[in-house]
Amino acid sequence: MGPMKIRLISLFACTALLSAAAPPQADGLQGEWRNTKNTVHLKVAPCGTAMCGTVTWAGDEQRADARKGSGRDLIGSVILRDLRRQNDGTWRGKVFVPDINTNASGTVTIVNGNMIRVSGCTVLGLVCKTQHWHRLK
């Protein structure tokens, strides 16, 4: 093999490795969001090869409820994790519900450029909840 062919193979291998480790394409999901009552703010951003949502601000009542349920402060909590884009355009992953200290299977659907719908169900789908979140920035 000549030097040019080895360089091309090396370049291809490096490009393939970088592509595999690249953050996901957010397609409108990335950004800052607020719940309908504007009592919790969430920042959605790449985390490794998936997307995550971290609480950046919360009202006193929501923070107290989270502390009672999980023993942790709501601010800084990752409540959406391991979100991966599906073929149907939704994002699937885990939703952490701090009030009851539970992880649920979750789906995030982009309703439009300024609204997402977050749905989560606990084990066996016995308890499900859906919330709409509105873009802040």
Side-chain angles (χ1 to χ4, degrees):
M1 238 189 284
M4 181 61 118
K5 194 168 188 178
I6 290 173
R7 282 190 198 118
L8 286 174
I9 291 171
S10 295
L11 179 62
F12 176 75
C14 288
T15 303
L17 286 173
L18 288 174
S19 296
Q25 295 298 316
D27 294 336
L29 182 60
Q30 188 169 336
E32 297 200 31
W33 302 89
R34 66 168 179 83
N35 63 355
T36 301
K37 293 181 181 180
N38 198 26
T39 56
V40 179
H41 293 183
L42 181 70
K43 182 177 182 178
V44 177
C47 55
T49 59
M51 297 292 285
C52 294
T54 304
V55 176
T56 58
W57 178 86
D60 292 338
E61 184 178 334
Q62 289 68 33
R63 292 177 77 182
D65 288 347
R67 263 190 239 97
K68 283 181 200 169
S70 67
R72 293 183 258 169
D73 192 350
L74 185 56
I75 296 174
S77 293
V78 179
I79 61 171
L80 299 176
R81 108 179 112 68
D82 200 28
L83 293 173
R84 297 181 188 280
R85 187 171 169 80
Q86 306 300 299
N87 290 335
D88 65 0
T90 62
W91 294 78
R92 297 224 171 117
K94 296 289 180 187
V95 177
F96 176 62
V97 185
D99 301 6
I100 57 175
N101 198 31
T102 299
N103 285 298
S105 297
T107 303
V108 178
T109 304
I110 298 171
V111 176
N112 60 46
N114 292 311
M115 185 188 304
I116 58 175
R117 181 176 56 240
V118 179
S119 302
C121 293
T122 59
V123 180
L124 301 175
L126 296 175
V127 179
C128 296
K129 186 174 181 181
T130 297
Q131 287 186 331
H132 287 89
W133 292 74
H134 306 269
R135 187 176 296 282
L136 280 170
K137 297 180 184 178

